[in-house]
Amino acid sequence: MDVRNCRECGRLFNYIGGIKLCPDCIEALEKKFADVKEYIYQNENCGIREVSDAVGVSVAQIKQWVREERLIFSSKAGSVIECELCGAPIVTGKYCQKCKDNMQKQLTSVMDHPTVEKSRKAVRDKDRMRFLDK
Ligand SMILES: [Zn+2]
Ligand SMILES: [Zn+2]
């Protein structure tokens, strides 16, 4: 049996599957999560700091929930976290749309060559337009 100290309250608990908190603290954290979610729901355009102050949860913890895509702030509230690749401000998840698109492109270009196909089509469209001009 693997027994460790809870990262939050320091109490000993059975350590299972990389979770660093005791069951009580996990439950308390889930309650906080519900509070945060409720607060964002009630105050649509609130920023991350406002929520942190109002509910009493650290900004870092809220950011983690946002990264886990459990929470989404209104885009009017501004971005709360940054893209892990380019640092661009984003609202949820790990990466911005541009980096997601790039990753998607890299993935698909390995399978077939959509970029080549696209440029061929562009050339064809251009030719057609020139033809219509005449
Ligand atoms: Zn604990
Ligand atoms: Zn990015």
Side-chain angles (χ1 to χ4, degrees), residues 83 85-88 96 99:
C83 169
L85 284 176
C86 71
C96 68
C99 289

Side-chain angles (χ1 to χ4, degrees), residues 75-94:
S75 53
K76 279 183 209 143
S79 56
V80 290
I81 53 173
E82 303 86 36
C83 169
E84 283 186 3
L85 284 176
C86 71
I90 53 174
V91 181
T92 187
K94 288 193 174 101

Side-chain angles (χ1 to χ4, degrees), residues 12-53:
L12 287 171
F13 72 106
N14 286 334
Y15 184 77
I16 325 154
I19 298 162
K20 297 185 179 80
L21 300 177
C22 72
D24 284 353
C25 286
I26 289 171
E27 209 187 300
L29 199 62
E30 285 305 308
K31 277 201 190 112
K32 289 274 185 196
F33 174 75
D35 288 348
V36 168
K37 213 173 164 180
E38 180 66 20
Y39 188 86
I40 294 171
Y41 183 73
Q42 303 281 348
N43 305 270
E44 222 186 316
N45 298 328
C46 62
I48 194 162
R49 251 173 221 294
E50 190 189 331
V51 181
S52 168
D53 287 347

Side-chain angles (χ1 to χ4, degrees), residues 107-132:
L107 274 179
T108 46
S109 69
V110 175
M111 289 185 279
D112 47 24
H113 298 276
T115 43
V116 176
E117 194 53 42
K118 219 183 260 172
S119 55
R120 265 194 214 134
K121 192 184 178 299
V123 169
R124 270 207 308 270
D125 286 348
K126 228 188 264 167
D127 284 343
R128 203 176 299 147
M129 266 188 272
R130 216 176 288 147
F131 179 71
L132 287 172

